[in-house]
Amino acid sequence: TQLTARGNSVAALLGSASGELHLAAGQGSVSKFVLEAAGLNIANAAFVRLFGDRQVPLNCLVADFRLDEGIALPRTFVLDTPDATIAVTGAINLQGERYDLTLHPQSRGVRVFSLRSPLYVRGSFGDPEVGVDRRSVALRAGAAVVLGAVAAPVAGLLALVNPGGDSGSPCAGLQRGARR
């Protein structure tokens, strides 16, 4: 980590910070509901809400930021668990106290009724707006309708099934890269 900053308060120092910031965590946990909701895994999120949340162990959280006059740009920003990997892109404006981030979740394992859309976090630190990429959700829902109308109602559900991704954790490579 190499940062330069000026000011007489934490807010002023963060708002003027330039340099590099590397963060890595290899222990901890995250809510199962948060992971399912981030992946827009509707059925799984509903199941967790109905039968209780649990904590999922954290494989790693790795963040490598370039800062320029209070604007933090992630070169790498990944949260990895046994259930999902979430990559984050965008920017954090520390001077204006605003987010403009996109979360790209990748679930592991089969998920039924998964809309698999990026999420965004925008707005101020005090009142962030969290939403989905409506275009991506609309395309997936449209594919389900077309498949259902053309093939059969059951085939329409195929557009909403996420077969899961690679089960390997990217942590070792990410942590080496963040230490550069």
Side-chain angles (χ1 to χ4, degrees):
T1 300
Q2 298 175 349
L3 290 175
T4 59
R6 59 192 176 285
N8 57 3
S9 70
V10 173
L13 290 169
L14 289 174
S16 67
S18 291
E20 295 182 351
L21 178 63
H22 311 286
L23 305 168
Q27 294 181 333
S29 63
V30 65
S31 160
K32 173 78 170 172
F33 177 76
V34 168
L35 289 177
E36 297 297 353
L40 294 181
N41 301 315
I42 299 165
N44 294 50
F47 184 83
V48 169
R49 270 295 192 220
L50 287 173
F51 298 104
D53 200 0
R54 69 177 172 84
Q55 293 295 300
V56 175
L58 185 67
N59 290 335
C60 68
L61 170 65
V62 177
D64 179 17
F65 290 96
R66 180 176 53 83
L67 284 93
D68 185 20
E69 291 297 318
I71 306 295
L73 301 168
R75 293 184 277 218
T76 301
F77 191 167
V78 174
L79 174 118
D80 185 67
T81 73
D83 292 353
T85 299
I86 300 173
V88 181
T89 58
I92 303 170
N93 182 332
L94 299 170
Q95 185 174 37
E97 297 183 354
R98 300 191 63 77
Y99 299 106
D100 186 9
L101 299 173
T102 303
L103 286 69
H104 307 273
Q106 178 62 47
S107 296
R108 293 196 174 104
V110 175
R111 299 293 192 264
V112 179
F113 296 116
S114 177
L115 297 175
R116 293 179 288 186
S117 169
L119 299 175
Y120 63 82
V121 179
R122 295 184 182 128
S124 69
F125 288 3
D127 188 24
E129 174 189 343
V130 179
V132 298
D133 178 353
R134 290 185 181 140
R135 181 174 178 262
S136 178
V137 170
L139 287 172
R140 185 153 314 279
V145 169
V146 169
L147 275 174
V150 172
V154 174
L157 295 177
L158 292 177
L160 300 176
V161 173
N162 179 4
D166 179 15
S167 61
S169 173
C171 292
L174 289 171
Q175 288 171 338
R176 276 191 302 275
R179 285 189 218 126
R180 303 181 250 123

